[in-house]
Amino acid sequence: MKNVTHTYNNGFKPKTVTLKDNYTFYPLSFIYKFFNFITIFITKLLMIIPKLLIGFKVIGKENIKNIKKAVFISNHVHILDAFLIGTTLFPKRLYCTTLKSNLGFPIISKYFRLCGAVPIPTKLNHKKKFYKETMTTLLHNSILFYPEISLNPFCNRIREFDTGAFTIANKSNSLIVPIILTFHKPHGIYKLFRKKPLIHLNILKPYEVINKIKSKDEIYEIMTTYFLEKSDFFFNTNCSNS
């Protein structure tokens, strides 16, 4: 998995994050799970207004009705997309991998952690621990990865994928569930106040990984085709792979 830094400027500069050698990437205790449930429940209530403002709609939730654990992947195109996905899948527990620097915002970072945020390490010894904990966590839980790695708001295409999520799915014998955020022209009352696209969250059928490279390429094509067929409003036409 690539080492990357922030490419999206949200106006705030995170503090440098240093992980201890015994850092727990995926909290699995009963106490954590209890507070995680409460935090996501409250977040789901808080997200009602933002979802209304962006014309949020979910398609394909029936595809994960019987899925207890999986590797979820998504395009990374909205500053709130992790919350959109996490609250949509609730009460299923979902850990979400994120840039380590996202834990450098004082109080809000503790909230991120309670929501299930898992920092992607940069040091070799931390990477080994991260990988080992990821394998253990996937025995009973789901994890969200962004194979595009970086956030690029309203990007008009599916960007190149890193192999990390596919390697992990292959090694852990986990299904991959593609999630695609698609963009749509404002209609009705949205025409009065929204210039950016409406956002729909599309959950595709689970995919069984046989070969990490072949699977990466196949899922990339599936997601690209779906995104282009379903989206009808391309707002950011100059987005890059970075």
Side-chain angles (χ1 to χ4, degrees), residues 3 13 27 44 52 54 67 131 150 165 184 202 212 219-220:
N3 290 336
K13 186 175 181 179
K44 189 176 181 70
L52 285 175
I54 64 173
I67 298 295
Y131 181 80
S150 59
H184 305 270
N202 305 264
K212 65 179 181 181
I219 293 178
Y220 178 83

Side-chain angles (χ1 to χ4, degrees), residues 70-73 165-166 169 174-178 205-209 219:
V71 168
F72 286 82
I73 63 171
F166 303 91
S174 298
L175 293 172
I176 284 185
V177 179
K205 293 181 179 180
Y207 179 100
E208 184 177 357
V209 177
I219 293 178

Side-chain angles (χ1 to χ4, degrees), residues 49-61:
I49 299 301
K51 286 181 178 180
L52 285 175
L53 292 176
I54 64 173
F56 189 68
K57 182 179 180 180
V58 177
I59 299 95
K61 195 171 182 179

Side-chain angles (χ1 to χ4, degrees), residues 12-230:
F12 298 93
K13 186 175 181 179
K15 295 181 179 178
T16 300
V17 176
T18 302
L19 302 178
K20 296 180 180 179
D21 287 341
N22 63 346
Y23 184 83
T24 299
F25 289 93
Y26 298 89
L28 297 172
S29 68
F30 172 80
I31 293 176
Y32 169 81
K33 291 178 180 179
F34 173 77
F35 283 105
N36 170 260
F37 183 92
I38 298 298
T39 302
I40 299 298
F41 176 76
I42 294 173
T43 302
K44 189 176 181 70
L45 297 178
L46 295 175
M47 286 293 292
I48 290 175
I49 299 301
K51 286 181 178 180
L52 285 175
L53 292 176
I54 64 173
F56 189 68
K57 182 179 180 180
V58 177
I59 299 95
K61 195 171 182 179
E62 68 277 2
N63 289 326
I64 57 170
K65 182 178 180 181
N66 297 317
I67 298 295
K68 294 183 178 180
K69 60 184 183 66
V71 168
F72 286 82
I73 63 171
S74 173
N75 52 334
H76 201 5
V77 291
H78 194 277
I79 193 171
L80 295 178
D81 53 23
F83 297 103
L84 294 174
I85 295 169
T87 55
T88 295
L89 298 184
F90 183 80
K92 294 180 185 293
R93 180 173 296 104
L94 183 71
Y95 292 91
C96 177
T97 57
T98 185
L99 295 180
K100 186 176 67 171
S101 53
N102 281 329
L103 299 188
F105 302 102
I107 296 176
I108 196 68
S109 293
K110 297 185 183 300
Y111 166 67
F112 289 163
R113 278 293 274 168
L114 277 176
C115 283
V118 178
I120 299 172
T122 53
K123 291 185 177 180
L124 181 59
N125 63 319
H126 291 158
K127 286 183 178 181
K128 291 179 178 179
K129 191 172 188 297
F130 169 82
Y131 181 80
K132 183 178 179 180
E133 286 191 30
T134 298
M135 294 298 107
T136 301
T137 301
L138 280 170
L139 292 174
H140 304 288
N141 301 273
S142 295
I143 304 174
L144 171 65
F145 293 88
Y146 290 110
E148 295 177 327
I149 303 298
S150 59
L151 169 63
N152 200 317
F154 299 103
C155 183
N156 69 323
R157 59 189 172 85
I158 303 296
R159 287 170 285 147
E160 180 182 352
F161 285 171
D162 178 65
T163 59
F166 303 91
T167 300
I168 287 170
N170 188 30
K171 294 290 185 181
S172 63
N173 294 316
S174 298
L175 293 172
I176 284 185
V177 179
I179 290 179
I180 308 172
L181 298 178
T182 53
F183 306 133
H184 305 270
K185 294 178 181 177
H187 56 79
I189 194 171
Y190 289 104
K191 289 183 177 180
L192 300 178
F193 66 89
R194 186 158 182 88
K195 295 182 180 180
K196 295 180 180 179
L198 304 183
I199 297 178
H200 294 174
L201 188 152
N202 305 264
I203 304 173
L204 275 56
K205 293 181 179 180
Y207 179 100
E208 184 177 357
V209 177
I210 304 300
N211 176 283
K212 65 179 181 181
I213 299 300
K214 182 180 179 182
S215 297
K216 176 178 77 73
D217 294 340
E218 287 183 353
I219 293 178
Y220 178 83
E221 291 300 323
I222 290 170
M223 292 179 66
T224 294
T225 299
Y226 190 98
F227 176 83
L228 293 175
E229 286 181 351
K230 299 299 181 180

